[in-house]
Amino acid sequence: METAVKTKWNIDQAHSSVGFKVKHMMISTVKGQFDSYSAAVETADDNFSDASFEFAAEVASINTNNADRDAHLKSDDFFNAAGFPELKFTSKSFDGSTLVGDLTIKETTKEISLDVDINGVAVDPYGQTKAGFEMSGKINRKDFGLSWSAVTEAGSVVVGETVTLVIDAQFIKS
């Protein structure tokens, strides 16, 4: 019986982004991203039908283009970056369009699903084989202990509970 050899693909950070968006006061959307992260995929073939994904982000690298908001997100009210410096995702299954895995934020691990578009595999001008993915999904931030909440004088919630994850990932074949 032959054992399939797995190929490792590492994230190409120059051509990737790990972002999120959430409603602010229920009238606008605030976007952010993690600037420091790692990710890898292992697969037996270039169609990624059996792929396993791993991802980790440094919480302190959160960036919403607002220093005060970023400091609040890193505080105990949200991520507690000092106590929990990393969030992680480890896949359980991938069928080519739905990626299921465990997301850990702070002390909480929950199974989530991400919709995935595989944009294809190509060789760049330097001879490197690359694969591109677009991933998206939604989580309830309160499920992960990100429960800070406030209400405006008019009764609007300041930060929505639903967070949309938006990941554009390009991987380089090792």
Side-chain angles (χ1 to χ4, degrees), residues 100-172:
V100 176
D102 287 333
L103 177 63
T104 301
I105 300 175
K106 294 170 77 169
E107 296 178 305
T108 303
T109 300
K110 297 230 178 250
E111 185 176 279
I112 66 166
S113 295
L114 298 172
D115 296 323
V116 178
D117 288 328
I118 302 173
N119 293 334
V121 176
V123 177
D124 74 8
Y126 306 102
Q128 297 177 311
T129 302
K130 297 189 175 184
F133 298 83
E134 292 180 32
M135 305 177 190
S136 63
K138 293 183 180 193
I139 64 169
N140 184 317
R141 66 181 176 86
K142 290 186 174 183
D143 290 346
F144 293 92
L146 308 176
S147 56
W148 181 86
S149 187
V151 177
T152 66
E153 286 183 21
S156 295
V157 174
V158 175
V159 180
E161 291 182 18
T162 301
V163 178
T164 302
L165 307 174
V166 182
I167 301 155
D168 296 305
Q170 187 174 108
F171 291 90
I172 303 169

Side-chain angles (χ1 to χ4, degrees), residues 30-50:
V30 171
K31 295 179 182 179
Q33 66 186 30
F34 292 94
D35 291 334
S36 183
Y37 54 88
S38 62
V41 179
E42 281 191 354
T43 187
D45 55 46
D46 287 356
N47 71 10
F48 295 89
S49 60
D50 66 339

Side-chain angles (χ1 to χ4, degrees), residues 11-28:
I11 194 77
D12 178 355
Q13 289 190 0
H15 299 102
S16 301
S17 64
V18 177
F20 59 89
K21 55 186 181 176
V22 64
K23 289 289 186 194
H24 179 254
M25 294 181 27
M26 307 318 287
I27 60 168
S28 63

Side-chain angles (χ1 to χ4, degrees), residues 53-55 87-91 99-103 112 114:
F53 292 76
E54 288 189 359
F55 166 81
L87 61 85
K88 294 181 182 182
F89 174 83
T90 303
S91 70
L99 178 61
V100 176
D102 287 333
L103 177 63
I112 66 166
L114 298 172

Side-chain angles (χ1 to χ4, degrees), residues 43-105:
T43 187
D45 55 46
D46 287 356
N47 71 10
F48 295 89
S49 60
D50 66 339
S52 61
F53 292 76
E54 288 189 359
F55 166 81
E58 291 180 27
V59 172
S61 76
I62 199 165
N63 180 356
T64 64
N65 291 319
N66 180 293
D68 289 340
R69 180 173 46 230
D70 294 347
H72 190 205
L73 288 169
K74 294 173 195 177
S75 77
D76 290 345
D77 283 345
F78 286 97
F79 286 99
N80 184 2
F84 303 96
E86 194 172 68
L87 61 85
K88 294 181 182 182
F89 174 83
T90 303
S91 70
K92 293 178 168 181
S93 67
F94 180 57
D95 66 7
S97 62
T98 302
L99 178 61
V100 176
D102 287 333
L103 177 63
T104 301
I105 300 175

